[in-house]
Amino acid sequence: MAAQGDSSSSDKKSKEVMNDVSTFRAENLQNNMKVVYYSRTFLSIIGGAIAGILGLTGFMGFILYFIVMAITSIGLIAKAKFSLHSYFDCWNRIILDGFLGGLM
């Protein structure tokens, strides 16, 4: 009888562990990453146009780009309601992914 009691408690523990493990659908994760990529690309273009209009070249243009990308990261985090792990598998997907790619 003790063995059966131990197995039921281990079943409960394994069910609790399964509930704690977050799973992602590949399609949803891919769509979220596509939105991040398009947002960064669009805002890179806008940032470049603003830098051109203001006549910011060289180091000041880079500074403006990094400011625009930081604002983009904050905006995407706010759009995710500061719950990154509900929409992405790791936090650096939304903060760093595509950060330097838009520089070109």
Side-chain angles (χ1 to χ4, degrees), residues 17-75:
V17 169
M18 291 298 281
N19 289 337
D20 290 341
V21 174
S22 60
T23 57
F24 294 102
R25 289 189 60 201
E27 297 86 14
N28 292 345
L29 188 60
Q30 186 177 15
N31 185 39
N32 292 342
M33 291 309 301
K34 193 183 304 183
V35 167
V36 169
Y37 176 74
Y38 288 145
S39 298
R40 288 200 185 277
T41 302
F42 177 72
L43 287 171
S44 293
I45 294 168
I46 297 298
I50 291 171
I53 291 170
L54 296 176
L56 300 175
T57 59
F59 187 68
M60 293 304 292
F62 282 114
I63 296 294
L64 179 69
Y65 173 76
F66 288 120
I67 290 171
V68 168
M69 287 298 109
I71 292 170
T72 303
S73 295
I74 292 169

